[in-house]
Amino acid sequence: MKDLPRILVVDDEEALRELIVGRLNRKGWKADGVGTAGEALARLGTAIYSVAIFDLKLPDGDGLELLHQARERQPDLEVVILTGHGTIATAIEAMKIGAYDYLTKPVNLAELEVVLEKAADRRALVVHNEGLRLASRGTVTATIVGRSEAIRRMLDVVHRVAPTEVPVLILGESGTGKELVARTIHRESRRQDGPFIAVNSAAIPENLMESELFGHVRGAFTGATTARAGLVEAAEGGTLFLDEIGEMDLALQAKLLRFLETGEYRRVGDNRQRVADVRMVAATNRNLLREVEAGRFRQDLYYRLNVVQVLVPPLRERREDIPLLVEHFLRLKGAAPDALTPRAMATLMAYSFPGNVRELFNLLERGLLLSGNRPVEPEDIFVEQLSEASDPTLLPLAEVEKRHIRRVLEATGWNRTEAARVLGISVRNLYRKLEQYGWQPSHH
């Protein structure tokens, strides 16, 4: 029997909250109820929920701010908004920033159940196939595009290592397409008919990562009212892709090492050993040897993962692939092959792309949007950059990155979760950048 989704109900009307929680639990869901935003955030720090129901009006804040904070803690959480007739416009605003749906009070419980089921199904797809989420936003391609020498060298290693069972460590900057490389390795392996499970080590709160990876038994921690399989079990017979492995804490690294060496693991709170047949592929944008020297990454795990290394080149080192990538993106979007003016293409060829292929696709998306029905000009793609520097290559890389991060933050209303998604980095990494630049999280 599959684990039932877990629901968090946040509403200060006690009678309504208890009515919803009681009904959901009777129907076989696992529902918890709280009355304030503070209590909701505390729960989200101790248990993983599939769907949350937020009332827009709460004693200690509003549903919109809670939505921002909840998604920072659990990026894959689906949120349904409850609203009175006077605040429907705000509920629609909530959907624009990521809520799944909204329902007006008095709420129809049968309708609520249907919405929750759909939201839980969508969340299940996201968690068990991180790539689906990225692909739906057009940030990854189905195939590796490029004919440059750098890409040919990389693909040569990929083709040779894919049919083996050895662990692979993929190294590359954010936005270079490390997950795409992992998928290619899976597709060309003997496990191609098994599942490909992607987990982003930076997107899950540290205290929930072990449970997400290895599962837990009932009562393992506060809120664990039912046993739950982990992603290791979901990947049985296939490939487990651990993205941003450098973000994993040391205690969990030790358990991952044991699993890599023996195939054995324990669910959180369980004494029983379990075994899973999984091929491990990991990726990082960090210098792991430097992390080992600093004591932040286990040396034995590094050598166990680093049997074969695949280096994904940054876009600036394979500029000759830019026209091919542009052509590929335009085809995906159903745009004309000559949708860009020669001037726009020349500007792209001269740019350093700190955000790599992901940034190229984001810039092209913006260019198509702003140009409407006419050919895309450089001004549509770069907008602010060109007014700051007529030649984007004259700026140091660090300065380009800083300006780009600020521009994305301003475009997303300083919503750190959304900005991190657009930039292709973890929320934790973005906070580090804010600290580095001396920008306070509230600075806007």
Side-chain angles (χ1 to χ4, degrees), residues 140-152:
V140 294
T141 55
T143 53
I144 295 169
V145 174
R147 290 199 286 265
S148 61
E149 182 58 32
I151 279 291
R152 280 207 288 264

mmCIF file with all atom_site columns, all heavy atoms in Angstrom, residues 140-152:
data_model
loop_
_atom_site.group_PDB
_atom_site.id
_atom_site.type_symbol
_atom_site.label_atom_id
_atom_site.label_alt_id
_atom_site.label_comp_id
_atom_site.label_asym_id
_atom_site.label_entity_id
_atom_site.label_seq_id
_atom_site.pdbx_PDB_ins_code
_atom_site.Cartn_x
_atom_site.Cartn_y
_atom_site.Cartn_z
_atom_site.occupancy
_atom_site.B_iso_or_equiv
_atom_site.pdbx_formal_charge
_atom_site.auth_seq_id
_atom_site.auth_comp_id
_atom_site.auth_asym_id
_atom_site.auth_atom_id
_atom_site.pdbx_PDB_model_num
ATOM 1  N N   . VAL A 1 140 ? 15.933 22.559 -18.874 1.00 0.00 ? 140 VAL A N   1
ATOM 2  C CA  . VAL A 1 140 ? 16.834 21.502 -19.326 1.00 0.00 ? 140 VAL A CA  1
ATOM 3  C C   . VAL A 1 140 ? 16.365 21.025 -20.685 1.00 0.00 ? 140 VAL A C   1
ATOM 4  O O   . VAL A 1 140 ? 15.207 21.169 -21.042 1.00 0.00 ? 140 VAL A O   1
ATOM 5  C CB  . VAL A 1 140 ? 16.877 20.289 -18.353 1.00 0.00 ? 140 VAL A CB  1
ATOM 6  C CG1 . VAL A 1 140 ? 17.477 20.653 -17.035 1.00 0.00 ? 140 VAL A CG1 1
ATOM 7  C CG2 . VAL A 1 140 ? 15.513 19.658 -18.172 1.00 0.00 ? 140 VAL A CG2 1
ATOM 8  N N   . THR A 1 141 ? 17.273 20.469 -21.452 1.00 0.00 ? 141 THR A N   1
ATOM 9  C CA  . THR A 1 141 ? 16.891 19.932 -22.751 1.00 0.00 ? 141 THR A CA  1
ATOM 10 C C   . THR A 1 141 ? 16.911 18.421 -22.660 1.00 0.00 ? 141 THR A C   1
ATOM 11 O O   . THR A 1 141 ? 17.516 17.846 -21.777 1.00 0.00 ? 141 THR A O   1
ATOM 12 C CB  . THR A 1 141 ? 17.893 20.396 -23.827 1.00 0.00 ? 141 THR A CB  1
ATOM 13 O OG1 . THR A 1 141 ? 19.203 20.015 -23.387 1.00 0.00 ? 141 THR A OG1 1
ATOM 14 C CG2 . THR A 1 141 ? 17.849 21.882 -24.040 1.00 0.00 ? 141 THR A CG2 1
ATOM 15 N N   . ALA A 1 142 ? 16.259 17.757 -23.593 1.00 0.00 ? 142 ALA A N   1
ATOM 16 C CA  . ALA A 1 142 ? 16.174 16.296 -23.549 1.00 0.00 ? 142 ALA A CA  1
ATOM 17 C C   . ALA A 1 142 ? 17.480 15.655 -23.981 1.00 0.00 ? 142 ALA A C   1
ATOM 18 O O   . ALA A 1 142 ? 17.775 14.531 -23.612 1.00 0.00 ? 142 ALA A O   1
ATOM 19 C CB  . ALA A 1 142 ? 15.023 15.820 -24.431 1.00 0.00 ? 142 ALA A CB  1
ATOM 20 N N   . THR A 1 143 ? 18.259 16.362 -24.785 1.00 0.00 ? 143 THR A N   1
ATOM 21 C CA  . THR A 1 143 ? 19.520 15.798 -25.262 1.00 0.00 ? 143 THR A CA  1
ATOM 22 C C   . THR A 1 143 ? 20.630 16.829 -25.086 1.00 0.00 ? 143 THR A C   1
ATOM 23 O O   . THR A 1 143 ? 20.370 18.026 -25.029 1.00 0.00 ? 143 THR A O   1
ATOM 24 C CB  . THR A 1 143 ? 19.434 15.432 -26.763 1.00 0.00 ? 143 THR A CB  1
ATOM 25 O OG1 . THR A 1 143 ? 18.979 16.588 -27.475 1.00 0.00 ? 143 THR A OG1 1
ATOM 26 C CG2 . THR A 1 143 ? 18.467 14.295 -27.012 1.00 0.00 ? 143 THR A CG2 1
ATOM 27 N N   . ILE A 1 144 ? 21.860 16.327 -25.029 1.00 0.00 ? 144 ILE A N   1
ATOM 28 C CA  . ILE A 1 144 ? 23.012 17.225 -24.906 1.00 0.00 ? 144 ILE A CA  1
ATOM 29 C C   . ILE A 1 144 ? 23.297 17.792 -26.298 1.00 0.00 ? 144 ILE A C   1
ATOM 30 O O   . ILE A 1 144 ? 23.527 17.045 -27.244 1.00 0.00 ? 144 ILE A O   1
ATOM 31 C CB  . ILE A 1 144 ? 24.228 16.465 -24.351 1.00 0.00 ? 144 ILE A CB  1
ATOM 32 C CG1 . ILE A 1 144 ? 23.935 16.011 -22.914 1.00 0.00 ? 144 ILE A CG1 1
ATOM 33 C CG2 . ILE A 1 144 ? 25.481 17.334 -24.389 1.00 0.00 ? 144 ILE A CG2 1
ATOM 34 C CD1 . ILE A 1 144 ? 24.934 15.038 -22.349 1.00 0.00 ? 144 ILE A CD1 1
ATOM 35 N N   . VAL A 1 145 ? 23.251 19.117 -26.390 1.00 0.00 ? 145 VAL A N   1
ATOM 36 C CA  . VAL A 1 145 ? 23.426 19.784 -27.692 1.00 0.00 ? 145 VAL A CA  1
ATOM 37 C C   . VAL A 1 145 ? 24.819 20.382 -27.762 1.00 0.00 ? 145 VAL A C   1
ATOM 38 O O   . VAL A 1 145 ? 25.239 21.095 -26.855 1.00 0.00 ? 145 VAL A O   1
ATOM 39 C CB  . VAL A 1 145 ? 22.354 20.891 -27.870 1.00 0.00 ? 145 VAL A CB  1
ATOM 40 C CG1 . VAL A 1 145 ? 22.611 21.682 -29.149 1.00 0.00 ? 145 VAL A CG1 1
ATOM 41 C CG2 . VAL A 1 145 ? 20.961 20.291 -27.874 1.00 0.00 ? 145 VAL A CG2 1
ATOM 42 N N   . GLY A 1 146 ? 25.526 20.086 -28.846 1.00 0.00 ? 146 GLY A N   1
ATOM 43 C CA  . GLY A 1 146 ? 26.850 20.686 -29.022 1.00 0.00 ? 146 GLY A CA  1
ATOM 44 C C   . GLY A 1 146 ? 27.766 19.821 -29.859 1.00 0.00 ? 146 GLY A C   1
ATOM 45 O O   . GLY A 1 146 ? 27.652 18.592 -29.856 1.00 0.00 ? 146 GLY A O   1
ATOM 46 N N   . ARG A 1 147 ? 28.668 20.498 -30.600 1.00 0.00 ? 147 ARG A N   1
ATOM 47 C CA  . ARG A 1 147 ? 29.644 19.767 -31.413 1.00 0.00 ? 147 ARG A CA  1
ATOM 48 C C   . ARG A 1 147 ? 31.068 20.234 -31.101 1.00 0.00 ? 147 ARG A C   1
ATOM 49 O O   . ARG A 1 147 ? 32.012 19.870 -31.781 1.00 0.00 ? 147 ARG A O   1
ATOM 50 C CB  . ARG A 1 147 ? 29.363 19.983 -32.911 1.00 0.00 ? 147 ARG A CB  1
ATOM 51 C CG  . ARG A 1 147 ? 28.102 19.291 -33.388 1.00 0.00 ? 147 ARG A CG  1
ATOM 52 C CD  . ARG A 1 147 ? 28.104 19.137 -34.913 1.00 0.00 ? 147 ARG A CD  1
ATOM 53 N NE  . ARG A 1 147 ? 27.855 20.406 -35.583 1.00 0.00 ? 147 ARG A NE  1
ATOM 54 C CZ  . ARG A 1 147 ? 26.644 20.804 -36.000 1.00 0.00 ? 147 ARG A CZ  1
ATOM 55 N NH1 . ARG A 1 147 ? 25.599 20.020 -35.816 1.00 0.00 ? 147 ARG A NH1 1
ATOM 56 N NH2 . ARG A 1 147 ? 26.485 21.961 -36.608 1.00 0.00 ? 147 ARG A NH2 1
ATOM 57 N N   . SER A 1 148 ? 31.215 21.040 -30.064 1.00 0.00 ? 148 SER A N   1
ATOM 58 C CA  . SER A 1 148 ? 32.537 21.584 -29.728 1.00 0.00 ? 148 SER A CA  1
ATOM 59 C C   . SER A 1 148 ? 33.446 20.465 -29.225 1.00 0.00 ? 148 SER A C   1
ATOM 60 O O   . SER A 1 148 ? 32.992 19.402 -28.798 1.00 0.00 ? 148 SER A O   1
ATOM 61 C CB  . SER A 1 148 ? 32.405 22.650 -28.634 1.00 0.00 ? 148 SER A CB  1
ATOM 62 O OG  . SER A 1 148 ? 31.854 22.056 -27.466 1.00 0.00 ? 148 SER A OG  1
ATOM 63 N N   . GLU A 1 149 ? 34.728 20.752 -29.241 1.00 0.00 ? 149 GLU A N   1
ATOM 64 C CA  . GLU A 1 149 ? 35.724 19.779 -28.764 1.00 0.00 ? 149 GLU A CA  1
ATOM 65 C C   . GLU A 1 149 ? 35.481 19.467 -27.284 1.00 0.00 ? 149 GLU A C   1
ATOM 66 O O   . GLU A 1 149 ? 35.594 18.320 -26.850 1.00 0.00 ? 149 GLU A O   1
ATOM 67 C CB  . GLU A 1 149 ? 37.135 20.349 -28.984 1.00 0.00 ? 149 GLU A CB  1
ATOM 68 C CG  . GLU A 1 149 ? 38.266 19.412 -28.578 1.00 0.00 ? 149 GLU A CG  1
ATOM 69 C CD  . GLU A 1 149 ? 38.245 18.068 -29.289 1.00 0.00 ? 149 GLU A CD  1
ATOM 70 O OE1 . GLU A 1 149 ? 37.816 18.002 -30.463 1.00 0.00 ? 149 GLU A OE1 1
ATOM 71 O OE2 . GLU A 1 149 ? 38.624 17.059 -28.639 1.00 0.00 ? 149 GLU A OE2 1
ATOM 72 N N   . ALA A 1 150 ? 35.132 20.500 -26.491 1.00 0.00 ? 150 ALA A N   1
ATOM 73 C CA  . ALA A 1 150 ? 34.899 20.306 -25.051 1.00 0.00 ? 150 ALA A CA  1
ATOM 74 C C   . ALA A 1 150 ? 33.744 19.338 -24.810 1.00 0.00 ? 150 ALA A C   1
ATOM 75 O O   . ALA A 1 150 ? 33.823 18.457 -23.945 1.00 0.00 ? 150 ALA A O   1
ATOM 76 C CB  . ALA A 1 150 ? 34.611 21.657 -24.386 1.00 0.00 ? 150 ALA A CB  1
ATOM 77 N N   . ILE A 1 151 ? 32.665 19.472 -25.565 1.00 0.00 ? 151 ILE A N   1
ATOM 78 C CA  . ILE A 1 151 ? 31.499 18.589 -25.402 1.00 0.00 ? 151 ILE A CA  1
ATOM 79 C C   . ILE A 1 151 ? 31.832 17.187 -25.906 1.00 0.00 ? 151 ILE A C   1
ATOM 80 O O   . ILE A 1 151 ? 31.433 16.184 -25.306 1.00 0.00 ? 151 ILE A O   1
ATOM 81 C CB  . ILE A 1 151 ? 30.273 19.174 -26.148 1.00 0.00 ? 151 ILE A CB  1
ATOM 82 C CG1 . ILE A 1 151 ? 29.621 20.250 -25.288 1.00 0.00 ? 151 ILE A CG1 1
ATOM 83 C CG2 . ILE A 1 151 ? 29.241 18.104 -26.481 1.00 0.00 ? 151 ILE A CG2 1
ATOM 84 C CD1 . ILE A 1 151 ? 28.932 19.752 -24.018 1.00 0.00 ? 151 ILE A CD1 1
ATOM 85 N N   . ARG A 1 152 ? 32.587 17.118 -26.993 1.00 0.00 ? 152 ARG A N   1
ATOM 86 C CA  . ARG A 1 152 ? 32.959 15.786 -27.534 1.00 0.00 ? 152 ARG A CA  1
ATOM 87 C C   . ARG A 1 152 ? 33.796 15.001 -26.527 1.00 0.00 ? 152 ARG A C   1
ATOM 88 O O   . ARG A 1 152 ? 33.611 13.806 -26.342 1.00 0.00 ? 152 ARG A O   1
ATOM 89 C CB  . ARG A 1 152 ? 33.693 15.941 -28.875 1.00 0.00 ? 152 ARG A CB  1
ATOM 90 C CG  . ARG A 1 152 ? 32.737 16.167 -30.050 1.00 0.00 ? 152 ARG A CG  1
ATOM 91 C CD  . ARG A 1 152 ? 33.361 15.659 -31.360 1.00 0.00 ? 152 ARG A CD  1
ATOM 92 N NE  . ARG A 1 152 ? 34.442 16.530 -31.798 1.00 0.00 ? 152 ARG A NE  1
ATOM 93 C CZ  . ARG A 1 152 ? 34.299 17.509 -32.689 1.00 0.00 ? 152 ARG A CZ  1
ATOM 94 N NH1 . ARG A 1 152 ? 33.121 17.737 -33.237 1.00 0.00 ? 152 ARG A NH1 1
ATOM 95 N NH2 . ARG A 1 152 ? 35.323 18.247 -33.045 1.00 0.00 ? 152 ARG A NH2 1
#
